[in-house]
Amino acid sequence: MNRFASPQVLKEALLAQKYLASDELSTVVYLSLQLEKPILAEGPAGVGKTELAKVLAGAMDRELIRLQCYEGLDETKALYEWEYAKQLLYTQLLREKLSQSLSDTSSLREAADRLAREEDVFFSMRFLLQRPLLKAILSEKPVILLIDEIDRADAEFEAFLLEVLSDFQVSIPELGTLKAVNRPVVVLTSNNTRELSEALKRRCLYLYIDYPTLEQELQVIRLKVPELSPKLARQAVELVQRLRTMDLRKSPSVSETLDWAKALVALNANALDQQTLETTLSVLLKHEADLQRARQQFFSPPPKDRRSGTDAFPSAPWRN
């Protein structure tokens, strides 16, 4: 199952997909492939958890099947449901055939018993609408299964997942137990909006992905947006790192840093001057209160030191 000889080989394969992995990340992913255990990736939104599943699919040349979790998600949306409209259509088309089959019965009970023997026709794989979980289990080829933002789903759905993640099989009353043809590689992500159960965590290898350091984020920018000048890239990342130290409703994610870098390239920006920052800050911050706080921090005249008469706080980044 594991095509990678070592965590370092896996790390290089992810880098080829333009994903900068730490030694810890590549080791956890490598072990998950070796041990055939799901990965539970937790951390702030936008730090590369979902992207990890995507690049892993690319590195392993596998299809990515994604289940996006949300409040109210249930088995019918995640696993399967019967195509009742199709069953009804077939029933109408086969009405004459059914009538012929039941014509020689002498009572309603006998007709019902005979009809019941034909139930398998209407509750077969022909009428089963496969949702992401079942599709991943029954896939003829090995796949990557991404269960995204599991913390948004209800605790009941999380409990339902335990059977799937333990045995990679599901039970359908009309068909019995269906086992995985090929065991999928499973990546679960969580933004920590609620505490996940210990039972779920026991079934997974845990991986925490935090915001990158300045140098790590610079490497990501160079890898993903090489058109941005090195000087401007550093200025941009330094400002993003400063924003993350502020008390904001939502700190800028790595994906938003990348969006901002692409925006700067699209605007042919040569330097991070005040006008550029004022007009593009909303690419990084998505709440009005955060924008106001950042503008107050960066654009308001800094208070003067009473004794020296100089600025009391470090100068704004575009003035460097």
Side-chain angles (χ1 to χ4, degrees):
M1 184 178 185
N2 188 359
R3 64 169 61 181
F4 306 105
S6 67
Q8 184 60 33
V9 174
L10 172 61
K11 186 176 181 179
E12 292 168 1
L14 295 179
L15 186 59
Q17 299 290 321
K18 294 190 174 181
Y19 189 91
L20 196 65
S22 65
D23 290 341
E24 180 191 4
L25 186 148
S26 58
T27 301
V28 170
V29 176
Y30 174 81
L31 289 175
S32 78
L33 298 176
Q34 284 292 102
L35 304 176
E36 297 189 341
K37 296 197 71 169
I39 303 167
L40 172 58
E42 278 194 326
V47 292
K49 303 185 297 296
T50 301
E51 188 68 12
L52 172 62
K54 294 179 180 177
V55 297
L56 192 57
M60 299 180 74
D61 193 23
R62 292 186 179 185
E63 180 188 359
L64 175 70
I65 296 178
R66 178 174 183 168
L67 173 63
Q68 178 63 51
C69 297
Y70 53 87
E71 188 177 353
L73 177 66
D74 58 18
E75 294 181 30
T76 60
K77 295 293 186 297
L79 189 58
Y80 75 94
E81 61 181 324
W82 293 106
E83 290 191 89
Y84 294 116
K86 189 175 178 181
Q87 288 172 324
L88 182 61
L89 176 63
Y90 271 62
T91 303
Q92 292 172 341
L93 293 174
L94 297 173
R95 182 183 300 167
E96 184 177 347
K97 188 70 176 176
L98 288 170
S99 298
Q100 292 174 1
S101 174
L102 303 175
S103 60
D104 61 339
T105 56
S106 57
S107 65
L108 282 176
R109 180 181 296 278
E110 185 181 354
D113 289 343
R114 184 173 296 181
L115 191 60
R117 290 199 290 271
E118 305 296 335
E119 279 183 354
D120 291 349
V121 174
F122 294 98
F123 289 97
S124 62
M125 295 299 289
R126 186 196 304 274
F127 299 101
L128 195 65
L129 187 60
Q130 297 180 20
R131 298 300 188 187
L133 288 181
L134 187 60
K135 189 177 177 185
I137 286 175
L138 299 183
S139 175
E140 294 292 332
K141 295 181 179 178
V143 300
I144 306 291
L145 173 61
L146 167 63
I147 303 175
D148 210 9
E149 298 183 335
I150 181 61
D151 52 321
R152 290 183 180 275
D154 300 318
E156 292 78 9
F157 181 77
E158 187 184 318
F160 156 75
L161 272 182
L162 297 180
E163 179 188 2
V164 179
L165 298 181
S166 295
D167 305 320
F168 288 91
Q169 66 180 31
V170 294
S171 300
I172 300 177
E174 297 85 352
L175 300 178
T177 300
L178 303 178
K179 293 187 177 181
V181 178
N182 294 290
R183 199 172 176 122
V185 174
V186 183
V187 179
L188 298 98
T189 73
S190 166
N191 293 334
N192 279 328
T193 58
R194 71 170 175 84
E195 187 71 23
L196 299 176
S197 70
E198 293 300 325
L200 182 69
K201 289 182 177 178
R202 274 200 309 274
R203 286 161 173 78
C204 303
L205 291 185
Y206 184 76
L207 174 66
Y208 188 81
I209 304 178
D210 204 351
Y211 290 120
T213 63
L214 189 148
E215 290 304 324
Q216 288 171 335
E217 197 158 20
L218 259 179
Q219 289 183 54
V220 173
I221 294 289
R222 291 179 191 133
L223 193 64
K224 298 270 191 177
V225 195
E227 313 91 282
L228 193 66
S229 72
K231 180 181 177 182
L232 188 53
R234 179 168 285 277
Q235 285 181 331
V237 171
E238 285 176 349
L239 186 132
V240 169
Q241 298 269 331
R242 283 184 62 182
L243 285 172
R244 290 191 187 127
T245 64
M246 295 171 59
D247 183 20
L248 300 176
R249 184 173 171 186
K250 181 187 175 302
S251 297
S253 64
V254 178
S255 59
E256 286 160 335
T257 306
L258 289 170
D259 287 343
W260 193 37
K262 292 172 185 173
L264 295 174
V265 171
L267 294 171
N268 294 316
N270 297 315
L272 199 58
D273 54 44
Q274 182 168 349
Q275 182 181 2
T276 302
L277 187 57
E278 282 182 335
T279 53
T280 61
L281 197 55
S282 59
V283 178
L284 290 170
L285 302 175
K286 307 299 171 59
H287 295 278
E288 179 58 23
D290 291 345
L291 283 168
Q292 287 183 5
R293 184 161 296 178
R295 288 182 183 123
Q296 187 176 12
Q297 173 77 20
F298 296 137
F299 304 146
S300 298
K304 299 292 183 182
D305 185 281
R306 292 182 179 176
R307 287 174 295 181
S308 65
T310 58
D311 293 351
F313 299 120
S315 58
W318 64 87
R319 293 174 186 158
N320 290 337

